[in-house]
Amino acid sequence: MLGGQLLLVTIAISLLMIFLFLFRKDIYADNRLVSLILLVITAMLGTLSMAIKLQLPNLYYIPYCIVPIIIRILFDTRLALNIHLLVVMIAGFFVPNSFEFAYFEITAGMVSIYSIKNLVRREQFLISALIITFTYFVSFLGISLIREGSLVDIDWRNFVPFVISMILTLLAYPLIYLFEKIFNITSDITLIELTNTNAPLLRQLAFTAPGTFQHSLQVANLAENAIYEIGGNALLVRAGALYHDIGKMENPLFFIENQNSGFNPHDKLPYEESAQIIIRHVLKGIELAEKGNIPDVVVNFIRTHHGNTRVDYFYQSYLKNFPEKIIDENTFRYPGPIPFSKETAVLMLADSVEAASRSLKEPDEKSIGGLVDRIIKYKLDQNQLNDSNITLKDLETIKTIFKRMLMSIYHVRIDY
């Protein structure tokens, strides 16, 4: 018997590892993430085993939907569904009425995953729990009618374990926080908290560099809409956009969006020094983010939003005024790295487009369209998108969205 159980569990775990190898190589190559997944599976099956040994009166008290919710929040929908199916299949060998058990838990698990497909508010956990309860109720009613033949003969006390299970499912929220801290993972819940404009660093940015803060908000809107269309983590992009320029808090007046009096401190500085001040906002931003315990997945947006491009204004100004001098071009170049995901690439494009659009004297359809096309072409020519896994089709979609949104932002009302 033990050998048979071992074979069945081996097949289930092998299918999970094959899925990770084929579709989520990033998780498969990370022992930390694989360990987390196996820990969640083992904990659930261990809980079931303990409940059987303790002769729990009803095994439906166990909150099986915790597993798909945790995996969905920490990873993605496909992985959550695969793992939930494997857990239910294995558990089905140990519970009575295994087909009914599988039907109850598979439908409830699928509903739990679908109900938090796009997590944007914490209260979605409560909404998800209510939807799971309703699903249990409909399934319970259907199976009871098949078994008893009439509503009168249904023993509604048998539904109580499902209600208890739903309440225990809410434990997923603190468990997700615990797993985040132990395994150094950033969930959508953390990203929601980071995108709150009352978060300490964002509140400081709004007070110290209000122009930069407004720029970041516009970039967040552009990037979020673009990544939503081409496919990606919109919440992650929004968080990255809001924090990408926090390094400008060190010298806010050296950035044009914060200059209100007409005074430009760069007028009194050599071009090389001005370029270094501009470049330093990236390194300063990384430093501030790390001090503020901002997750690495968000800090990556700070690192990559300029790639290794040049600060062209000061570089070209230097060449124009000192043509006889030889200078190391790296003095005017950001340290990189270049974007290495769709999300970081979209932020780079949104940042450049939004900043450049502010310089348009007469923003109209033609000038905005030309600006967007020119900037995206420049980033391509400079090989800034080579590592981002973004396609030419994606870029066309991004262009369309940027143009439409910028036209809306700079729409001029008719005088009357």
Side-chain angles (χ1 to χ4, degrees):
M1 287 178 63
L2 182 62
Q5 292 173 354
L6 180 63
L7 287 174
L8 294 176
V9 172
T10 300
I11 291 173
I13 298 300
S14 297
L15 287 172
L16 171 62
M17 300 308 294
I18 290 170
F19 172 83
L20 294 176
F21 179 77
L22 293 177
F23 302 106
R24 289 301 304 268
K25 282 188 169 64
D26 56 324
I27 299 176
Y28 181 82
D30 192 329
N31 291 335
R32 173 177 52 92
L33 299 181
V34 173
S35 299
L36 169 57
I37 291 170
L38 295 178
L39 174 63
V40 172
I41 295 173
T42 304
M44 177 51 65
L45 295 177
T47 302
L48 174 62
S49 177
M50 187 179 299
I52 293 172
K53 287 181 180 179
L54 295 175
Q55 297 183 344
L56 199 70
N58 194 313
L59 295 178
Y60 289 113
Y61 284 111
I62 300 173
Y64 300 97
C65 289
I66 275 187
V67 172
I69 289 176
I70 290 175
I71 300 299
R72 163 60 195 91
I73 298 299
L74 295 180
F75 298 99
D76 61 37
T77 301
R78 286 192 306 170
L79 183 58
L81 184 56
N82 270 270
I83 289 177
H84 182 60
L85 291 175
L86 290 175
V87 168
V88 171
M89 280 197 302
I90 295 173
F93 286 103
F94 306 100
V95 299
N97 300 316
S98 56
F99 175 78
E100 290 182 9
F101 170 83
Y103 186 86
F104 276 127
E105 301 309 333
I106 289 175
T107 53
M110 293 172 71
V111 166
S112 68
I113 294 169
Y114 301 158
S115 63
I116 52 174
K117 179 180 181 295
N118 294 310
L119 184 66
V120 294
R121 299 183 308 275
R122 282 184 287 270
E123 55 265 31
Q124 281 183 250
F125 274 106
L126 180 59
I127 296 171
S128 179
L130 294 175
I131 295 174
I132 292 169
T133 305
F134 178 74
T135 304
Y136 274 138
F137 176 78
V138 174
S139 300
F140 175 81
L141 180 61
I143 290 177
S144 296
L145 284 173
I146 291 173
R147 182 184 298 162
E148 306 297 340
S150 71
L151 287 171
V152 178
D153 296 327
I154 296 176
D155 186 354
W156 295 102
R157 289 174 298 180
N158 291 331
F159 186 67
V160 173
F162 295 99
V163 177
I164 302 299
S165 174
M166 178 275 294
I167 295 172
L168 292 176
T169 298
L170 296 175
L171 289 173
Y173 190 86
L175 285 174
I176 288 168
Y177 179 79
L178 181 65
F179 287 138
E180 280 190 281
K181 296 303 179 184
I182 295 175
F183 292 93
N184 192 27
I185 298 175
T186 303
S187 73
D188 286 353
I189 298 172
T190 298
L191 294 176
I192 290 172
E193 293 170 349
L194 289 174
T195 54
N196 186 338
T197 52
N198 285 317
L201 277 176
L202 295 182
R203 192 166 61 247
Q204 184 183 352
L205 178 64
F207 179 78
T208 308
T212 297
F213 180 70
Q214 292 301 319
H215 160 71
S216 298
L217 288 175
Q218 296 285 18
V219 171
N221 291 333
L222 288 170
E224 186 178 26
N225 277 275
I227 202 67
Y228 185 81
E229 289 295 325
I230 67 173
N233 192 332
L235 193 56
L236 175 60
V237 167
R238 185 165 191 83
L242 290 175
Y243 287 89
H244 80 283
D245 268 347
I246 58 173
K248 291 182 178 180
M249 288 191 289
E250 182 183 37
N251 292 303
L253 292 180
F254 282 86
F255 300 90
I256 192 167
E257 66 266 24
N258 299 309
Q259 297 170 4
N260 298 318
S261 61
F263 169 70
N264 189 343
H266 289 290
D267 294 339
K268 299 182 179 181
L269 296 177
Y271 297 122
E272 310 96 291
E273 188 174 343
S274 289
Q276 286 300 304
I277 291 173
I278 299 298
I279 291 169
R280 192 160 60 236
H281 88 271
V282 173
L283 300 177
K284 184 63 179 178
I286 295 171
E287 180 184 331
L288 287 172
E290 290 175 345
K291 285 183 179 178
N293 294 318
I294 303 300
D296 283 342
V297 290
V298 177
V299 177
N300 286 336
F301 287 87
I302 303 175
R303 291 190 179 98
T304 61
H305 74 279
H306 284 295
N308 55 18
T309 56
R310 286 194 308 257
V311 185
D312 266 336
Y313 175 80
F314 294 112
Y315 179 69
Q316 297 298 336
S317 297
Y318 183 91
L319 294 180
K320 181 179 178 181
N321 288 277
F322 303 102
E324 74 284 356
K325 291 187 177 181
I326 299 176
I327 188 170
D328 183 4
E329 187 181 302
N330 290 328
T331 304
F332 296 88
R333 192 176 288 279
Y334 285 98
I338 62 176
F340 46 79
S341 67
K342 278 188 177 183
E343 287 83 359
T344 51
V346 166
L347 174 67
M348 168 186 272
L349 298 175
D351 179 44
S352 299
V353 165
E354 202 285 330
S357 68
R358 293 169 178 260
S359 65
L360 292 174
K361 295 179 180 178
E362 296 182 5
D364 54 26
E365 184 175 1
K366 183 178 180 181
S367 61
I368 289 174
L371 175 74
V372 172
D373 291 338
R374 187 167 61 253
I375 286 177
I376 292 181
K377 183 179 184 302
Y378 175 78
K379 298 299 183 184
L380 277 171
D381 292 342
Q382 293 293 311
N383 300 318
Q384 297 300 302
L385 307 178
N386 285 5
D387 296 341
S388 62
N389 195 31
I390 202 165
T391 67
L392 293 176
K393 182 181 179 181
D394 291 336
L395 291 177
E396 290 302 318
T397 303
I398 291 169
K399 287 180 186 178
T400 301
I401 293 169
F402 284 176
K403 291 173 185 178
R404 184 178 69 244
M405 292 187 67
L406 289 173
M407 281 295 296
S408 178
I409 292 170
Y410 292 106
H411 178 65
V412 179
R413 295 181 63 182
I414 299 172
D415 293 332
Y416 57 89

